[in-house]
Amino acid sequence: MAPSTERAATDRPYPKTCAACGGEIDVRTGAVATDLRGLTIQVDGVEHGRCRGCGEVYLTLAAANAVQLEAARRLRRARGLLAPDEIRAIRASLGLSQAAFERLLGTGPKTLVRWEKGTVFQSATADRLMRLIAARPELAALLERDEGDSAP
Ligand SMILES: [Zn+2]
């Protein structure tokens, strides 16, 4: 693969000059740091623009998403939490839609979508609740009934 620094200037998805200091921006592939849940995580091998003057990093939307995914994946693994495909499998075993599983767990809307995409991950509490439901599927019926009782 050709070094990204050989890319024609017209191809680059980064600004020519830094918005913060006006410095020149180099295109390079290397480590990019991202903050997640109060931790700074370094992700290697990311193409990005970096200001020669102040070091400001510029990422394409695709690269920013990839960095976010990788950081979430690492932190999730380090904490021993269920992986996106495991969550999907639990939900599928219950025959529930994402919205129905969200109601069951008491999370906000679109939360399951993000957990299953891997862009964000569940709390330890939500993780344990999902493991309990996976081990004892009858708990899902119990929670659904409680939810029905509290409905207006
Ligand atoms: Zn700069």
Side-chain angles (χ1 to χ4, degrees):
M1 212 167 97
S4 56
T5 45
E6 286 178 10
R7 270 167 83 157
T10 50
D11 285 350
R12 18 191 290 172
Y14 314 104
K16 270 186 180 167
T17 55
C18 177
C21 77
E24 203 174 326
I25 293 168
D26 290 329
V27 179
R28 54 162 87 173
T29 300
V32 167
T34 187
D35 292 329
L36 188 62
R37 307 250 172 129
L39 293 171
T40 300
I41 297 166
Q42 291 262 350
V43 178
D44 295 323
V46 181
E47 191 194 279
H48 61 280
R50 186 182 295 262
C51 173
R52 281 185 195 180
C54 70
E56 180 77 11
V57 170
Y58 293 85
L59 292 168
T60 62
L61 189 59
N65 286 338
V67 167
Q68 169 79 15
L69 264 177
E70 177 58 18
R73 190 187 66 80
R74 276 200 229 158
L75 206 49
R76 186 173 53 235
R77 281 180 79 165
R79 293 180 180 185
L81 301 173
L82 292 165
D85 57 339
E86 292 175 308
I87 295 173
R88 206 174 299 121
I90 291 170
R91 181 173 63 77
S93 74
L94 299 168
L96 295 175
S97 67
Q98 287 176 328
F101 200 32
E102 282 164 355
R103 283 195 298 275
L104 192 76
L105 296 171
T107 70
K110 303 292 174 208
T111 304
L112 249 292
V113 179
R114 296 188 194 109
W115 290 353
E116 291 186 4
K117 266 190 191 166
T119 48
V120 295
F121 57 85
Q122 64 279 14
S123 67
T125 309
D127 196 83
R128 288 177 180 200
L129 181 55
M130 287 189 283
R131 286 177 194 273
L132 270 179
I133 293 168
R136 297 272 186 276
E138 65 271 21
L139 291 173
L142 196 73
L143 290 169
E144 276 170 346
R145 204 171 54 227
D146 286 351
E147 189 207 333
D149 288 346
S150 62

